[in-house]
Amino acid sequence: MRVYQANAPENLGAVRLENYLAQAMPLLPARVIRDAFQKRDVKMNGVRAGKDAPVLPGAKIQLYTPFEIQLPVVYEDENILIINKPAGISSDDDGRGGMTVESLLQKENGYPRLCHRLDNATCGLLLLCKNSESEEILLEDFKERRMEKRYECLVRGEMRPPAAVKEAYLIKDAGNAKVRVITHGTPGALPIATQYETISFDGTISRLRVTLLTGRTHQIRAHMSFLSHPLLGDDKYGDRALNKRLKASSLKLCACELVLHPGGKLSYLDGKMFSIPAPF
């Protein structure tokens, strides 16, 4: 029997427990959640609760089921693990209180561990280390920006020019869990550089391949919105009217390619590219 846990945020509004679990545990099929309620295998703050119970702010919720979630593995050896992170779960705890990659890992002596992170709404390649030596090498690889990360996304409109490198500055707005892009440096602003090339344009939406030359929070989403080409399905920085018209209920952003240049103990991975197709 597996136990999946969620911690409801303190600022959570009125919501039924069944609806909350569908959001907090998106990798569990609806039938699994329904079955758990039918068998009275859902607890809130240690007390069995039904599907219509209102979720208490800050509550600890546990769901018991024989169903085991399998994270999609793209590559694994004795030193690293690369998974295809589904959209809708966070890499690690970010205050949402729901299911995370970290909470689903089967760890031994503290490993595997995340080497980087993807936003909750972003899917794609996520790299983890399986021992302290690989962790040190890979974190240095990220720090020195030797690792190549490429994304695919769908954006509003036609890119002009069809390929370019765009530079700007980004400021975090922690209170609203957002970032803001500006043209000039100012105290607290971090420089960003985003490279894109157009793969296709259908008259309304462009498909882009994006390379992060810097890796900042929400960089692609905020930068493309700043350039008047918000990502399809992005309700935080995007065009909600267009999302509604095109029925885009999820963010169209995927980490599709990862090229490693680690050296040292991991030199057998130098220049190795891992890739997956975007699911949209």
Side-chain angles (χ1 to χ4, degrees):
M1 184 74 74
R2 290 297 307 271
V3 182
Y4 297 101
Q5 182 170 306
N7 295 289
E10 292 288 348
N11 60 352
L12 185 70
V15 61
R16 293 170 60 243
L17 183 53
E18 184 179 34
N19 292 343
Y20 174 73
L21 289 183
Q23 177 185 3
M25 301 180 179
L27 300 189
L28 288 179
R31 60 174 177 79
V32 171
I33 295 177
R34 287 196 303 268
D35 186 61
F37 278 117
Q38 289 172 359
K39 295 180 178 178
R40 295 183 51 78
D41 281 339
V42 178
K43 293 182 178 181
M44 182 162 52
N45 291 334
V47 179
R48 297 183 189 278
K51 65 180 183 179
D52 294 321
V55 178
L56 304 175
K60 179 179 179 180
I61 301 162
Q62 295 170 312
L63 183 148
Y64 298 79
T65 175
F67 182 85
E68 185 169 353
I69 295 171
Q70 298 288 340
L71 290 169
V73 174
V74 175
Y75 175 84
E76 184 173 14
D77 63 24
E78 67 273 15
N79 295 308
I80 72 167
L81 169 66
I82 299 176
I83 66 168
N84 182 0
K85 185 190 87 67
I89 70 167
S90 301
S91 299
D92 57 1
D93 184 21
D94 59 1
R96 294 171 180 264
M99 184 175 284
T100 68
V101 171
E102 279 277 6
S103 71
L104 295 174
L105 292 173
Q106 300 295 315
K107 293 196 175 191
E108 184 176 344
N109 298 322
Y111 291 95
R113 293 181 186 172
L114 297 169
C115 294
H116 66 122
R117 289 159 179 79
L118 294 175
D119 291 344
N120 177 281
T122 304
C123 62
L125 297 173
L126 188 65
L127 176 63
L128 302 97
C129 55
K130 296 179 69 176
N131 52 62
S132 59
E133 291 178 88
S134 62
E135 180 177 25
E136 182 178 354
I137 292 170
L138 292 170
L139 290 180
E140 182 69 14
D141 208 15
F142 274 106
K143 180 181 178 181
E144 298 298 324
R145 298 177 185 168
R146 292 190 294 264
M147 197 167 296
E148 302 172 47
K149 295 181 288 181
R150 298 186 184 94
Y151 296 72
E152 277 191 28
C153 61
L154 301 181
V155 303
R156 184 185 68 191
E158 182 178 12
M159 303 301 297
R160 297 181 180 176
V165 174
K166 296 293 186 178
E167 297 181 345
Y169 293 85
L170 180 147
I171 298 177
K172 288 187 177 182
D173 180 356
N176 292 313
K178 293 182 69 173
V179 300
R180 183 164 53 93
V181 175
I182 57 176
T183 56
H184 299 91
T186 191
L190 298 171
I192 59 173
T194 307
Q195 179 179 349
Y196 72 83
E197 59 178 304
T198 302
I199 299 173
S200 63
F201 174 59
D202 68 3
T204 302
I205 300 296
S206 292
R207 179 179 293 270
L208 306 183
R209 178 178 294 109
V210 178
T211 301
L212 284 180
L213 304 180
T214 55
R216 312 296 187 194
T217 301
H218 295 178
Q219 178 176 323
I220 294 175
R221 299 166 65 181
H223 202 175
M224 296 311 298
S225 181
F226 174 77
L227 296 172
S228 299
H229 296 283
L231 270 63
L232 189 63
D234 191 348
D235 278 346
K236 185 180 286 283
Y237 300 97
D239 183 337
R240 294 190 176 187
L242 180 66
N243 294 339
K244 184 176 181 179
R245 178 163 65 87
L246 297 182
K247 299 180 180 179
S249 59
S250 61
L251 180 69
K252 307 308 179 186
L253 177 62
C254 179
C256 287
E257 291 184 7
L258 190 62
V259 183
L260 307 182
H261 302 281
K265 173 184 175 181
L266 303 182
S267 59
Y268 65 94
L269 294 169
D270 284 348
K272 189 170 181 62
M273 184 180 77
F274 301 92
S275 64
I276 57 171
F280 45 79

